[in-house]
Amino acid sequence: MSATTSSPSAVLRTAYQQSVAAYWNAEQDPVNLRLGDVDGFYHHHYGIGDYDPSVLDGPADARNDRVIREMHRLETAQAELLLGHLGGISSGDRLLDGGSGRGGTSFLAEQRFGCQVDGVTISESQVDFANRQAAERGVADRVKFHFRNMLDTGFATGSRHGIWTNETTMYVDLSELFAEFSRLLVHGGRYVCITGCYNDVTGGRSKAVSRIDEHYTCNIHPRSAYFKAMAANGLVPIDVVDLTARTIPYWELRAKSALATGIEEPFLTAYREGSFHYLLIAADRV
């Protein structure tokens, strides 16, 4: 299927979705672009793992470049961890990247599995950027990006062996999203998400979580909402990994970088106080 561009009115259902699309169409944040420039994999998510403290030492004139490369290494490690939970994917399978951004995880998936990957996003500028990347990489026949809503992709029922969302579920209704993903997956197909979610035990969004919502124009869900919506749509978790402790080093390093945006402290506060969790959930379609 070739990459498609639909009319905005057909893709953006609500005023909220229009505002989210406008945000990402205009977004030129160096914390995304400078990191992607390291090796051409442009991600729109965060990292996991301990950072090498030596990047903060050494000649000051090269410090920023060292930190950028290390942050990018951590975010690529996050994407590789996600892909590793998709299970047995063969070159003849088809995958879907829900909320594909500038395409980083999709290109890593094609490189890893050698299969067809479709990415969908409500940002037309991201679609254009990612399709240019696919052409430049020589994989446009296997990796295609579409201006579509992941709540209503238009792809055929049972056409996907694997689907993932990488920090995008906080922009949509989970019941609608998982109903669509359940429709798209073959029996036994795998859905994997990495997401930030607030801790139900603390009794609602903390001040720090609310600041994150405001910064990114998103609506962070409680942890329980993921499992309730999955259960209602035939998605059975096979693996749940708490990545909270493993993502804190990324945010500590980012807070020390020249690319800090000011949102680092709310993330660190929320993670450290336990009001916010960073989870990987892998679920099978039954």
Side-chain angles (χ1 to χ4, degrees):
M1 180 178 293
S2 62
T4 58
T5 300
S6 304
S7 67
S9 61
V11 174
L12 306 175
R13 297 176 168 186
T14 65
Y16 171 68
Q17 290 178 358
Q18 291 170 10
S19 69
V20 171
Y23 175 90
W24 288 110
N25 281 332
E27 183 270 335
Q28 294 290 323
D29 197 328
V31 81
N32 290 321
L33 295 173
R34 290 288 302 280
L35 270 63
D37 288 344
V38 169
D39 59 6
F41 288 95
Y42 292 84
H43 299 299
H44 286 280
H45 59 74
Y46 311 125
I48 57 168
D50 292 327
Y51 67 84
D52 180 356
S54 70
V55 301
L56 299 172
D57 303 324
D61 59 346
R63 178 179 182 272
N64 194 46
D65 183 63
R66 293 194 302 273
V67 170
I68 287 171
R69 289 180 176 277
E70 185 67 354
M71 287 170 61
H72 185 62
R73 182 183 70 81
L74 298 180
E75 65 174 1
T76 298
Q78 188 261 35
E80 293 285 10
L81 178 71
L82 183 156
L83 295 174
H85 280 78
L86 281 173
I89 300 297
S90 69
S91 59
D93 292 338
R94 299 199 69 166
L95 304 178
L96 178 70
D97 184 350
S100 49
R102 289 187 171 96
T105 309
S106 291
F107 293 123
L108 287 175
E110 188 279 330
Q111 188 178 82
R112 183 178 186 131
F113 303 117
C115 64
Q116 297 275 335
V117 183
D118 289 288
V120 295
T121 172
I122 61 173
S123 167
E124 292 177 273
S125 68
Q126 289 181 345
V127 170
D128 292 342
F129 184 99
N131 279 326
R132 287 196 302 270
Q133 284 276 298
E136 292 169 5
R137 290 173 175 275
V139 296
D141 59 328
R142 296 188 300 281
V143 187
K144 305 177 191 301
F145 299 91
H146 313 263
F147 175 52
R148 298 189 186 185
N149 193 315
M150 63 180 173
L151 299 177
D152 181 17
T153 64
F155 293 121
T157 297
S159 63
R160 306 292 140 167
H161 289 78
I163 298 174
W164 70 85
T165 52
N166 200 347
E167 297 180 13
T168 60
T169 50
M170 61 287 298
Y171 289 102
V172 296
D173 179 273
L174 293 179
S175 295
E176 290 186 69
L177 181 69
F178 294 157
E180 174 68 351
F181 287 175
S182 182
R183 182 186 71 80
L184 291 170
L185 283 168
V186 299
H187 181 77
R190 177 73 54 83
Y191 166 63
V192 182
C193 77
I194 292 182
T195 188
C197 51
Y198 75 77
N199 184 1
D200 304 77
V201 177
T202 60
R205 289 179 181 80
S206 66
K207 182 177 180 180
V209 170
S210 294
R211 288 182 62 190
I212 297 168
D213 269 345
E214 182 180 2
H215 183 85
Y216 289 109
T217 319
C218 63
N219 182 32
I220 292 168
H221 302 292
R223 181 180 57 190
S224 62
Y226 284 87
F227 301 100
K228 289 177 181 176
M230 285 182 181
N233 289 285
L235 296 170
V236 178
I238 189 171
D239 207 0
V240 180
V241 185
D242 184 355
L243 300 174
T244 306
R246 294 167 66 180
T247 196
I248 287 176
Y250 165 87
W251 287 101
E252 291 175 335
L253 180 61
R254 178 166 155 170
K256 296 180 175 71
S257 78
L259 299 181
T261 63
I263 199 60
E264 292 78 17
E265 194 53 43
F267 270 95
L268 286 168
T269 297
Y271 284 140
R272 289 167 177 163
E273 72 185 8
S275 66
F276 194 42
H277 294 152
Y278 196 53
L279 294 187
L280 180 151
I281 308 170
D284 288 341
R285 171 71 169 94
V286 298

